[in-house]
Amino acid sequence: MAAPSKILVFDSGLGGLTVYREIAAARPDADIVYVADDAAFPYNALAESALVARVVGLFDDLIAAHRPDLAVIACNTASTIALPALRQKFTLPLVGTVPAIKPACAASETRRVSVLGTEATVAREYTRALIRNFAQDCHVTLVGSKHLAPYVEAELRGAPASDAHIRAEIVPCFIDDGKRTDIVVLACTHYPLLLDRLTRLAPWPVNYIDPAPAIARRVLELLGPPTPSRRGSSRATFTSGRAPHAVLARFGIAPQPAAATGAK
Ligand code: DGL
């Protein structure tokens, strides 16, 4: 029988849990290690060269410590700048998370699509190239948010931001120039954790695109289907050493002792 698959899921904080839950549902037999580099959160605030050096350095240790069969960078802010360096250095399959501009522009009926991400993600050349290559005749509005990912972290840890604060971050996504935005790409893995509030606070109904199901499908393509009757394990580790136990319990993940993280 084939050895069980081991998957590393990586983010700067809790946002990658939106990707983790889809992967865990698709491959319930896999052993999954969730790593949050929360000591450096938010990645939005890091210079590009510092972010690449940090993520490549962490992956050196994490791959040596956990020997995963595949790693998922469940973070747009990291993927849109660090993927080439990671792919150059490591031979294991790496799945990145990048703004879902192609499916959004293919599906938009009003041809008005907005991309809501961190300031860093919307400024990246990677994101601009996705628009050049896949927007077709769509008008794409880029909205960089400094505060939304920190609001999500705060909300999950029991200190929710007000509706007014959240609304202020999302309102620039809603363009009405005779035709209204009908799709908002959630280009930060933290944002789907606020989906109910984003839906309630929207000036009009839109489809919010969460990339997690597509990422889970890509993992299945690369690793194959689950082994029936095997139940995998899930562990999470935080580079700060301060795992939020209540949040992890909601996602059915056990914290991993800091000594076993392999993270600096
Ligand atoms: N989850 C990250 C992303 O998808 C978080 C952003 C950050 O650390 O600034 O972009």
Side-chain angles (χ1 to χ4, degrees):
M1 195 171 80
S5 296
K6 189 161 192 184
I7 303 170
L8 179 76
V9 179
F10 179 85
D11 183 31
S12 59
L14 299 171
L17 291 171
T18 58
V19 177
Y20 159 81
R21 68 185 169 195
E22 293 290 333
I23 294 171
R27 284 293 309 257
D29 61 317
D31 294 323
I32 304 180
V33 182
Y34 184 81
V35 178
D37 184 17
D38 61 330
F41 180 85
Y43 275 0
N44 182 48
L46 296 188
E48 291 187 348
S49 55
L51 177 52
V52 173
R54 181 163 183 98
V55 173
V56 171
L58 279 172
F59 265 65
D60 248 339
D61 292 346
L62 290 167
I63 287 170
H66 299 291
R67 308 233 157 260
D69 299 300
L70 176 148
V72 177
I73 298 91
C75 175
N76 293 260
T77 311
S79 297
T80 49
I81 193 68
L83 264 179
L86 289 168
R87 290 204 162 116
Q88 198 174 21
K89 178 142 195 205
F90 304 106
T91 53
L92 84 167
L94 292 168
V95 178
T97 308
V98 300
I101 288 165
K102 185 179 180 183
C105 290
S108 171
E109 286 176 9
T110 62
R111 315 310 288 152
R112 304 285 181 277
V113 165
S114 291
V115 178
L116 179 62
T118 63
E119 295 164 314
T121 294
V122 302
R124 301 262 195 257
E125 170 49 27
Y126 195 109
T127 303
R128 307 288 162 129
L130 287 174
I131 294 171
R132 283 198 301 277
N133 293 333
F134 300 115
Q136 308 165 37
D137 60 335
C138 255
H139 179 78
V140 178
T141 302
L142 291 171
V143 179
S145 170
K146 182 175 186 170
H147 301 296
L148 208 44
Y151 288 162
V152 174
E153 291 276 322
E155 172 141 343
L156 287 179
R157 292 168 196 263
S162 69
D163 281 356
H165 282 102
I166 305 256
R167 191 182 288 113
E169 298 300 303
I170 68 169
V171 153
C173 294
F174 291 81
I175 305 296
D176 184 351
D177 57 7
K179 287 186 177 173
R180 287 177 159 187
T181 305
D182 64 348
I183 297 187
V184 176
V185 175
L186 298 179
C188 170
T189 54
H190 279 71
Y191 302 166
L193 291 166
L194 280 190
L195 189 58
D196 290 349
R197 296 186 76 192
L198 299 182
T199 302
R200 180 167 58 78
L201 295 171
W204 58 80
V206 290
N207 281 335
Y208 287 108
I209 296 195
D210 171 2
I215 294 167
R217 284 196 297 276
R218 181 70 187 136
V219 169
L220 274 188
E221 267 170 34
L222 291 168
L223 289 181
T227 307
S229 79
R230 182 177 195 275
R231 189 92 219 141
S233 65
S234 293
R235 303 243 160 232
T237 186
F238 287 69
T239 55
S240 68
R242 293 187 298 277
H245 291 231
V247 179
L248 294 180
R250 267 174 52 195
F251 284 84
I253 310 181
Q256 176 152 292
T261 64
K264 286 179 191 161

